[in-house]
Amino acid sequence: MKLINLKNKSIASDYVAVELLKLIQSTPTATLGLATGNTMTEIYPRLSELLTVNCVNLNDIKTFNLDEYVGLNSSHPQSYYTYMHQLLFDHNDWNERNVYIPRGDAPHLEEEAQAYEQRLASIGQPDIQLLGIGENGHIGFNEPGTPFNSQTRIVDLTDSTIKANSIHFDTIDDVPKQAISMGLQSIMRAKRIILLAFGERKQEAISRLIHGPKTETLPASILQTHPNVEIIVDDVIFNHLNNITKRVEQNSF
Ligand code: GLP
């Protein structure tokens, strides 16, 4: 894993948008693994601008989103379908036939999950997978305790995730209790993974990801064994990690 301090969300978002543009231009049939959440909100508008000014053909680009809330249909304002369309897919000429987002309102959710996993496997490895991280170390909606060999399936959200995500809903009771999420094994298929984390709330999870053991209690720690992972952080997290390292060094003398 490479830890990279890009100072703040704005610079980090520019970096990721440019990396996605470079991939799309060099590989017009590329597959992108996309994520949602606050962490990603500036990446997609920046990418849209770059795609516009560079007149990029998106017809054969495939995208897979990590997850979706169970019970929210595509027109719900807090669905990840709406999020992705407002920030990215409603701009430029994305080919909707190549845009994959799990359906949280599918009548048979387990079948939807299996079909999603099969589609992902048949289309091949994502060339780049974007990831955020939950305060409890979740990636996608793979909560602590998720087996490392998990695939796309229906998951129960923990109380801490429901609380963290309640800021997007009118009341905490409106937050769905389940989601459909790519599994940890599904995520590990990607050729290159870029995980982003900003601010104090994420520093503990990143510290455990960098310094802690590989354990199912911190789902993101599976990334320690992936050959091509960048962890992009801001000054807040980087300084925290630096202070921990200095404290450890001082204690060892
Ligand atoms: C959410 C999403 C994740 C996201 C994470 C962090 O629950 N399922 O895909 O990466 O939690 O969210 P945020 O970026 O809003 O902090």
Side-chain angles (χ1 to χ4, degrees):
M1 293 191 300
K2 292 190 276 284
L3 176 71
I4 303 169
N5 176 16
L6 288 182
K7 308 287 179 197
N8 57 50
K9 178 174 170 177
S10 179
I11 297 173
S13 302
D14 278 339
Y15 167 75
V16 175
V18 170
E19 290 304 292
L20 291 172
L21 174 73
K22 286 191 324 201
L23 170 64
I24 292 168
Q25 286 185 318
S26 65
T27 312
T29 56
T31 301
L32 315 180
L34 301 179
T36 50
N38 280 333
T39 308
M40 306 292 154
T41 52
E42 291 181 21
I43 294 173
Y44 300 130
R46 305 270 168 95
L47 176 60
S48 280
E49 280 169 19
L50 292 173
L51 293 171
T52 303
V53 294
N54 287 284
C55 303
V56 180
N57 180 356
L58 295 166
N59 198 48
D60 295 322
I61 298 293
K62 271 94 53 196
T63 68
F64 277 87
N65 263 80
L66 279 172
D67 46 21
E68 177 61 284
Y69 289 112
V70 162
L72 302 194
N73 62 33
S74 55
S75 58
H76 191 286
Q78 297 311 329
S79 72
Y80 289 158
Y81 182 98
T82 299
Y83 171 108
M84 288 306 304
H85 281 76
Q86 283 179 348
L87 294 183
L88 187 65
F89 297 134
D90 286 350
H91 317 279
N92 312 104
D93 289 325
W94 294 91
N95 182 347
E96 274 290 335
R97 274 180 300 139
N98 290 333
V99 167
Y100 297 98
I101 302 173
R103 275 192 56 196
D105 63 343
H108 302 290
L109 286 165
E110 287 298 347
E111 283 171 26
E112 166 72 9
Q114 281 169 23
Y116 198 79
E117 184 70 32
Q118 278 162 14
R119 236 171 279 139
L120 183 64
S122 68
I123 284 183
Q125 302 167 279
D127 294 275
I128 290 183
Q129 174 69 59
L130 302 187
L131 290 178
I133 187 167
E135 290 169 50
N136 62 5
H138 75 231
I139 50 177
F141 268 129
N142 296 289
E143 299 282 28
T146 300
F148 282 152
N149 64 359
S150 51
Q151 300 199 333
T152 307
R153 71 215 181 287
I154 309 305
V155 297
D156 294 326
L157 305 185
T158 60
D159 290 343
S160 77
T161 298
I162 291 171
K163 188 163 171 246
N165 290 7
S166 66
I167 53 166
H168 302 294
F169 292 82
D170 291 339
T171 73
I172 197 162
D173 294 332
D174 295 327
V175 184
K177 308 289 179 288
Q178 288 188 310
I180 180 166
S181 177
M182 272 167 58
L184 295 171
Q185 196 176 69
S186 332
I187 291 170
M188 288 291 276
R189 277 212 206 94
K191 292 181 194 162
R192 174 183 176 194
I193 294 178
I194 304 177
L195 183 146
L196 300 106
F198 311 122
E200 206 179 316
R201 287 190 306 114
K202 304 290 177 75
Q203 65 191 23
E204 192 51 38
I206 296 296
S207 165
R208 289 172 65 202
L209 168 59
I210 305 274
H211 298 295
K214 183 182 166 198
T215 162
E216 289 177 353
T217 58
L218 189 86
S221 67
I222 193 173
L223 302 176
Q224 293 172 3
T225 49
H226 190 285
N228 192 3
V229 178
E230 288 153 78
I231 314 282
I232 310 284
V233 297
D234 61 2
D235 274 333
V236 175
I237 297 182
F238 193 76
N239 292 338
H240 173 76
L241 294 170
N242 226 347
N243 289 339
I244 295 177
T245 315
K246 280 185 197 143
R247 245 180 279 139
V248 171
E249 280 168 5
Q250 277 160 9
N251 287 342
S252 61
F253 288 112

